[in-house]
Amino acid sequence: MTPRPHTPSQTVGPFFGYALPFPGGGDIAPAGHADTITLHGHVHDGAGQPVPDAIIEIWQADPRGSLSGAPGSMRRDPVTGRGIGRDGVEFTGFGRVPTDADGHWAARTLAPGPHHDGAVPYLSLAVFARGLLHHLFTRVYLPEHADALARDPSLATLTPERRATLLARRERDALYRFDIRLQGEDETVFLDFPYAPRPLGDVRG
Amino acid sequence: MTTHALPEGLSQQEIDAEIAKAQTASHPPHHPPRDYPPYRSSHFRHPKQPPIPVRDPEAVELTGPVFGVTDVTTLDHDLTRQHQGEPLGERITVSGRVLDRAGRPVRHQLVELWQANASGRYAHQLDQHRAPLDPNFTGFGRCLTGDDGSYSFTTIKPGAYPWRNHVNAWRPAHIHFSLFGTAFNQRLVTQMYFPGDPLFPYDPVLRAVTDHAARERLVAAYDHERSVPEWSLGYRWDVVLDGPAATLFEPGSRPAEEEVR
Ligand SMILES: [Fe+2]
């Protein structure tokens, strides 16, 4: 069957800030969870400047490797309609954080578990920004999985230097740094997910 | 005295020439190229390295976040009812279906939208366009898709607005949309346009989709059947999400989330 032609992407633009961010967007870990880790970093452009109008989304397995997620990332108060944050119990696996004026972002979460036997755990990131006509996917691997990452067949063609852009750096206990460089030296590795496992040829419609 | 300092930079004619040049370059036909010189902001913000294709049938990205009744309120789909009074502008409904590339409805997933008001001004302090803010309009809505992938919003038609990409740059009226599929890699942020807008040929953001048929898929259709007498004008816009989902693969190769939970 010929796949339907899809809807094209367009930039998120500069004015998403009153719409997409929500209270507790970076608080993925249940409130006060002892195993909470903080993941943070800067987004930089090809001129080395911070990107103050990017927004990052995170999708990940829970510590047991479950990818079923849960609703409630963006809970709303039915009385006022305002965002009230998560319920502090459920692990939804989803987070969304805008960069600040200095291009910095941070999220508090739980380290993902392997999503199947032998899988190397990682967090999936989608990066949206003014100037980006189509968002970018990347991954955050924690430093303890560096050796396993080197064996990942999807990423085997990368040089060790490029692969290292997918590794968070431990700054101190439970604090990890992951910078995103959109362009230039040390450009972050970005990923693409072709529609079909086999090439479909030209599906222009 | 108010001065409207003109942005430094290229004229519309120079941008038109760049659009024509990019049009002849070979790009993937459907999504816009991330490196698109007529859109000045893309210059330092596109990767120079090609993305790495991932074909792992057990990739985390083939699953995605879920949303539910706690994430939306019953008023969120109506942008005209978020304040004390009625917003200014032409009241419209925008409705349609969200499908995947196999034509299956994307059920119970989150659709978000944001837009400028009828004068072309966003409720964002960095939007300095000298058009009035509307105290009765914020311009943000959400809903969950139905069993058939359907969504519907009531809002007002946004105005066109100037931006500083080049001298005399104007964005055609548009509504920003954010959509989730069943897989995170199906994620889509895009913009919906209104039929027959005279600004289409001049806009580098829309023209970045270099394939004409693909560009047309960003334009809603006026649908008289969906107009409500004495109330609102109806627009129809269907969305097809790109990217594989876990269900496209053999059942045995799916992440075993059901067993884990
Ligand atoms: Fe806009």
Side-chain angles (χ1 to χ4, degrees), chain B residues 99-114:
Chain B
L99 305 172
D100 69 13
R101 296 195 63 185
R104 293 173 300 201
V106 174
R107 298 188 170 96
H108 311 149
Q109 266 300 358
L110 184 69
V111 181
E112 297 163 284
L113 119 189
W114 70 102

Side-chain angles (χ1 to χ4, degrees), chain B residues 6-7 31 37 40 51 54 57 64 80 85 88 102-103 116 121 124 138 144 166 169 218 220 223 227 230 255 257:
Chain B
L6 287 173
H31 286 303
R40 313 315 276 173
V54 175
T80 69
L88 295 171
R121 177 94 182 256
H124 189 298
T138 303
L144 297 175
H166 56 277
L218 292 176
D223 187 341
S227 290
E230 313 303 317
E257 65 259 36

Side-chain angles (χ1 to χ4, degrees), chain B residues 28-132:
Chain B
H30 297 292
H31 286 303
R34 295 184 177 97
D35 177 11
Y36 188 70
Y39 178 32
R40 313 315 276 173
S41 304
S42 74
H43 184 69
F44 286 119
R45 292 185 170 196
H46 70 273
K48 302 270 194 193
Q49 305 282 339
I52 305 300
V54 175
R55 295 189 170 86
D56 175 6
E58 296 185 294
V60 166
E61 292 88 348
L62 299 188
T63 62
V66 292
F67 301 92
V69 292
T70 60
D71 295 307
V72 293
T73 73
T74 50
L75 288 179
D76 285 349
H77 72 280
D78 190 342
L79 286 73
T80 69
R81 291 174 64 189
Q82 296 174 351
H83 297 272
Q84 294 280 322
E86 292 278 344
L88 295 171
E90 192 178 296
R91 191 184 295 108
I92 61 173
T93 58
V94 178
S95 59
R97 293 174 75 205
V98 184
L99 305 172
D100 69 13
R101 296 195 63 185
R104 293 173 300 201
V106 174
R107 298 188 170 96
H108 311 149
Q109 266 300 358
L110 184 69
V111 181
E112 297 163 284
L113 119 189
W114 70 102
Q115 62 170 88
N117 69 22
S119 307
R121 177 94 182 256
Y122 285 91
H124 189 298
Q125 69 169 7
L126 295 181
D127 183 358
Q128 292 297 306
H129 175 34
R130 284 287 305 273

Side-chain angles (χ1 to χ4, degrees), chain A residues 11-15, chain B residues 114-116 122 161 171-172 174-176 191:
Chain A
T11 180
V12 75
F15 298 136
Chain B
W114 70 102
Q115 62 170 88
Y122 285 91
Y161 59 83
R171 294 298 326 278
H174 60 274
I175 298 179
H176 295 263
Q191 302 180 25

